[in-house]
Amino acid sequence: LAEYFEAEQQNMKLDRRGLQVLELGAGCGWLGLVLAKNLPGAKVCMTEMKFGGALEHLAYNVDLNRSTHPSLANVTVADCDWSHWGGQKKSVNHPGLEPQSDHPEGF
């Protein structure tokens, strides 16, 4: 997937100013960290659910990578559990992102 984004960067206008990336279900954070490192002007918010420690694990990985790569200051982590949404329109509870969608796929 990272290779696809790299190949399609210009077509998807990923280099534009003010880009915001929202990764739903980031897991260990690999893809979001790769995107953040390659799109230094973008805000990248990676989400994961608290249940089972997934959010804690994601936050740990982001902090660990940020300690060796200060350029990852554009990365944030937020709680997002789809099982609580029940079809209602809700937003990710994170003050760092503006309410807009750059890509309907979630990126």
Side-chain angles (χ1 to χ4, degrees):
L1 192 52
E3 288 177 1
Y4 170 78
F5 285 124
E6 183 177 3
E8 294 297 318
Q9 183 172 356
Q10 288 184 343
N11 291 334
M12 295 176 72
K13 300 179 178 144
L14 295 177
D15 56 351
R16 72 182 178 279
R17 196 172 258 203
L19 178 70
Q20 297 181 92
V21 178
L22 175 62
E23 184 178 9
L24 304 174
C28 67
W30 181 84
L31 180 60
L33 289 168
V34 168
L35 289 173
K37 185 146 177 64
N38 290 293
L39 303 171
K43 290 182 182 179
V44 178
C45 178
M46 296 187 285
T47 66
E48 192 50 82
M49 57 190 284
K50 285 183 187 178
F51 182 76
L55 180 64
E56 184 178 327
H57 184 70
L58 173 61
Y60 173 80
N61 284 342
V62 169
D63 288 343
L64 183 65
N65 280 277
R66 194 181 288 132
S67 70
T68 57
H69 301 289
S71 63
L72 295 175
N74 58 335
V75 177
T76 56
V77 173
D79 176 35
C80 181
D81 186 345
W82 287 98
S83 67
H84 295 283
W85 287 42
Q88 298 177 15
K89 185 177 180 184
K90 295 185 180 181
S91 63
V92 175
N93 184 18
H94 194 275
L97 291 177
E98 299 296 323
Q100 65 185 24
S101 174
D102 290 309
H103 292 284
E105 300 89 2
F107 293 97

